[in-house]
Amino acid sequence: WRAASPGSVSLLLKPESPVKQIEKRDSVLTSKQQIDRLLRPGASYFNLNPFEVLQIDPDATDDELKKRFRALSILVHPDKNQDDPDRAQKAFEAVDKAYKLLLDPEQKKRALDVIHAGKEYVEHMVKEKRKQLKKEGKPQDVEEDDPELFKQAVYKQTMKLFAELEIKRKEREAKDMHERKRAREEEIEAAEKAKREREWQKNFEETRDGRVDSWRNFQAKGKSKEKKNRSFLKPPKVKMEQRE
């Protein structure tokens, strides 16, 4: 037996990365627990954060992301949860959606921007708390000095930002839908109006000759009647008086 060198000891005692810690923590979760986590109340907003869905560190590599997706998707797959296939399907869809989003560089960047914004906001609030405590002459210790509480604060703020962005997205979507509907209604109304005008014009053209003939007949009858009336309205002849 040979004692390990200092270098090998430090290598053996090297702390696990956050990704490894998360994977180790989640390895004890059962399929049912993962499904419950992904479908818990408020999941429609909790699951907006793809890193939270997959429970993987934002700094994880593509290989780590792929490995995590594969393990989690197998765990919640409907085939593995035949006693609750409907909920398993919804959980699997949430995992699949998160994974595909993180495969898109642009979508992944947006998610990372939200997470970084959440962290920066908490850091700013911590600084403001310290300033206020210093101003009041009090110790500048804050609860976020505890790494776990700081992490929780960042988590809450990040979820809030994701939720706000989703609400704004839905509002824009509803507005766009309303505008498209209004534009479509105006388009239909314009088409119906144009159709009515074409039908009126067509009817006008088709009945023109009939109207002209009717007018001519009316005028002819009027002249004939006038002529006839004149013959009946001749003044009586005045008889000459005979002288006695």
Side-chain angles (χ1 to χ4, degrees):
W1 181 82
R2 185 178 61 179
S5 64
S8 61
V9 171
S10 62
L11 181 62
L12 291 172
L13 297 179
K14 183 179 179 181
E16 293 180 326
S17 68
V19 173
K20 296 298 182 183
Q21 292 175 6
I22 292 173
E23 290 181 349
K24 185 176 180 180
R25 181 194 69 192
D26 292 344
S27 64
V28 300
L29 294 181
T30 64
S31 294
K32 183 180 183 304
Q33 288 173 328
Q34 284 289 5
I35 292 173
D36 289 342
R37 178 183 71 84
L38 293 166
L39 301 182
R40 67 193 184 279
S44 59
Y45 285 102
F46 286 119
N47 293 347
L48 292 173
N49 183 347
F51 297 102
E52 170 64 19
V53 173
L54 299 176
Q55 291 186 311
I56 193 169
D57 191 271
D59 296 327
T61 65
D62 290 342
D63 288 340
E64 290 170 330
L65 174 62
K66 185 176 181 180
K67 179 181 177 181
R68 179 59 186 155
F69 165 72
R70 185 179 301 161
L72 189 55
S73 62
I74 292 174
L75 202 59
V76 301
H77 198 281
D79 291 346
K80 186 177 177 62
N81 299 274
Q82 297 184 8
D83 58 329
D84 195 4
D86 293 338
R87 296 181 76 246
Q89 179 64 34
K90 292 179 180 178
F92 177 81
E93 289 173 358
V95 171
D96 186 62
K97 180 180 179 181
Y99 178 63
K100 288 179 178 178
L101 188 149
L102 293 179
L103 289 180
D104 184 330
E106 185 176 346
Q107 294 288 342
K108 182 178 181 179
K109 182 180 181 303
R110 290 178 183 175
L112 287 171
D113 288 344
V114 174
I115 293 173
H116 292 156
K119 184 178 180 181
E120 289 175 357
Y121 178 84
V122 173
E123 289 174 343
H124 172 73
M125 292 305 298
V126 169
K127 289 181 180 179
E128 292 299 314
K129 284 183 180 181
R130 293 190 195 282
K131 286 181 181 180
Q132 185 62 30
L133 291 171
K134 183 178 180 180
K135 184 178 179 181
E136 296 173 357
K138 298 178 180 179
Q140 299 177 35
D141 298 328
V142 295
E143 61 179 6
E144 287 83 6
D145 288 338
D146 183 333
E148 188 60 29
L149 293 179
F150 178 82
K151 182 179 179 181
Q152 291 179 13
V154 172
Y155 172 81
K156 291 179 181 178
Q157 183 60 30
T158 299
M159 288 296 100
K160 182 179 179 182
L161 291 176
F162 272 111
E164 289 175 350
L165 289 174
E166 178 64 7
I167 290 172
K168 290 180 180 179
R169 185 193 69 78
K170 288 183 176 180
E171 289 176 347
R172 287 195 304 270
E173 189 177 78
K175 183 179 179 181
D176 291 343
M177 185 179 296
H178 175 73
E179 291 180 351
R180 288 196 299 270
K181 181 181 178 181
R182 182 171 57 82
R184 180 57 181 164
E185 289 174 349
E186 291 178 352
E187 182 181 343
I188 292 174
E189 177 60 26
E192 290 178 349
K193 182 179 179 181
K195 181 180 178 180
R196 290 193 299 268
E197 290 178 351
R198 288 195 302 270
E199 289 177 349
W200 183 91
Q201 186 65 29
K202 181 180 179 182
N203 183 63
F204 180 83
E205 294 292 338
E206 290 177 348
T207 59
R208 176 184 294 174
D209 293 341
R211 291 196 308 275
V212 171
D213 291 341
S214 297
W215 176 248
R216 287 174 179 171
N217 291 336
F218 173 77
Q219 286 185 320
K221 288 180 180 179
K223 290 180 180 180
S224 174
K225 186 175 181 181
E226 183 181 351
K227 186 176 181 181
K228 187 175 182 181
N229 288 339
R230 284 175 185 166
S231 63
F232 283 106
L233 295 176
K234 288 182 179 180
K237 292 182 179 180
V238 179
K239 293 182 180 181
M240 300 293 293
E241 295 181 0
Q242 295 182 355
R243 296 183 179 179
E244 294 180 358

